Amino acid sequence: KRLRWRLRFLQLLITPLYLLQPRLIGVTACRIVKLSLEHGFCSESAVGLQIYGQVILNNQKDVEGCLKWCHTALCLVKSLGAKQMIPRVTVNVYVFAFWKEPLQAKIESLKENHSEILMAGDLDILGLNAFHFCRRSQVCGR
């Protein structure tokens, strides 16, 4: 239980770090992954896996590696049955999928995920989902 609180705290640090010190996100993601490897994986570990994938994308320009980590995180939360985390993790998969798939491919998925996020009550990721839905809709002329 104590580990989950530590992982949640690190997860909450990601957004402010992204705005203030983006380079420190990688350190936070590595810390989440390290704690998960040492003590076992839980639903909060998924965010660390995805952010680690984002760091791989930003530093190494490895789209395949990023998507692999994002899909691993999605498989983790689905296998754990963490219904409150599935919409959050799904948003990140859809956001990074534009590197490999056409923009219009995930518009409907983002729209469906919006209602799932509302049901889960995860309001901090709701804005990100709405932003990507609107942006893709405008770019694709929908």
Side-chain angles (χ1 to χ4, degrees):
K1 190 171 184 174
R2 189 171 180 192
L3 173 67
R4 292 185 88 144
W5 282 108
R6 289 172 71 185
L7 292 176
R8 281 187 188 154
F9 177 74
L10 290 170
Q11 182 182 339
L12 290 172
L13 284 178
I14 290 172
T15 302
L17 282 176
Y18 182 77
L19 298 172
L20 300 172
Q21 292 291 327
R23 292 184 204 129
L24 294 178
I25 290 177
V27 175
T28 306
C30 288
R31 183 71 178 150
I32 291 172
V33 172
K34 182 177 184 261
L35 285 169
S36 298
L37 287 171
E38 290 173 355
H39 302 286
F41 285 89
C42 61
S43 59
E44 284 79 10
S45 304
V47 174
L49 294 173
Q50 286 190 317
I51 300 302
Y52 184 75
Q54 181 182 359
V55 170
I56 288 174
L57 177 65
N58 291 340
N59 294 338
Q60 299 174 356
K61 309 300 184 233
D62 183 7
V63 176
E64 292 291 331
C66 173
L67 289 173
K68 181 181 84 172
W69 284 102
C70 289
H71 284 290
T72 301
L74 186 58
C75 289
L76 175 67
V77 293
K78 284 183 177 178
S79 68
L80 293 173
K83 293 182 180 181
Q84 77 282 4
M85 288 294 288
I86 291 174
R88 171 180 283 271
V89 175
T90 304
V91 168
N92 291 327
V93 171
Y94 293 161
V95 167
F96 295 126
F98 82 90
W99 289 97
K100 296 295 282 184
E101 299 176 5
L103 283 175
Q104 65 271 21
K106 296 294 182 188
I107 290 176
E108 289 304 315
S109 300
L110 284 165
K111 187 176 181 180
E112 292 170 12
N113 199 43
H114 190 78
S115 60
E116 290 179 28
I117 293 170
L118 284 172
M119 287 191 293
D122 197 354
L123 301 180
D124 28 325
I125 202 74
L126 184 67
L128 179 68
N129 189 78
F131 170 76
H132 284 285
F133 171 75
C134 292
R135 183 179 73 171
R136 287 184 187 198
S137 295
Q138 284 182 332
V139 169
C140 295
R142 288 192 177 179

